[in-house]
Amino acid sequence: MRLAPTAVLVLAASLPAHAVAPPKPARVGLCAACHGETGIAQIPGAPHLAGQKADYLREALRQYRDGRRKAPIMQAAIGPVSEADLDELARWYSQQAPLKAQP
């Protein structure tokens, strides 16, 4: 059985789209010490970042970088990071699988 080109396009468009995972940012190493490479916190008191909204993460990182959020450890860790680096970090952590709640 042959499908018409239009039918093939309709079928292809109806399949679920799989997002391509972003490449791991070069600057994720320092973040990973506390927040984990995949955004699951490694130390008590550090928040999980996996699955957070990218816009929220990007703005929080900007605020730490610019001194609008006062957390000396974060200000030291983020340092003079570029907007491109902030975008990469926010995109990376937002696309990681969040920790599943235990029943």
Side-chain angles (χ1 to χ4, degrees), residues 34-35 38-43 45-52 57 93 98-99:
C34 296
H35 300 286
T38 61
I40 305 302
Q42 302 299 297
I43 62 172
H48 298 305
L49 302 180
Q52 294 285 341
L57 291 172
Y93 280 119
L99 187 63

Side-chain angles (χ1 to χ4, degrees), residues 56-70:
Y56 167 78
L57 291 172
R58 187 179 304 107
E59 184 56 26
L61 288 169
R62 275 189 193 120
Q63 290 177 9
Y64 287 122
R65 179 193 65 192
D66 300 342
R68 291 179 283 152
R69 280 194 186 195
K70 304 294 183 198

Side-chain angles (χ1 to χ4, degrees), residues 86-100:
L86 291 179
D87 287 342
E88 286 180 0
L89 289 166
R91 192 172 25 252
W92 170 259
Y93 280 119
S94 72
Q95 291 190 6
Q96 301 305 304
L99 187 63
K100 298 199 189 263

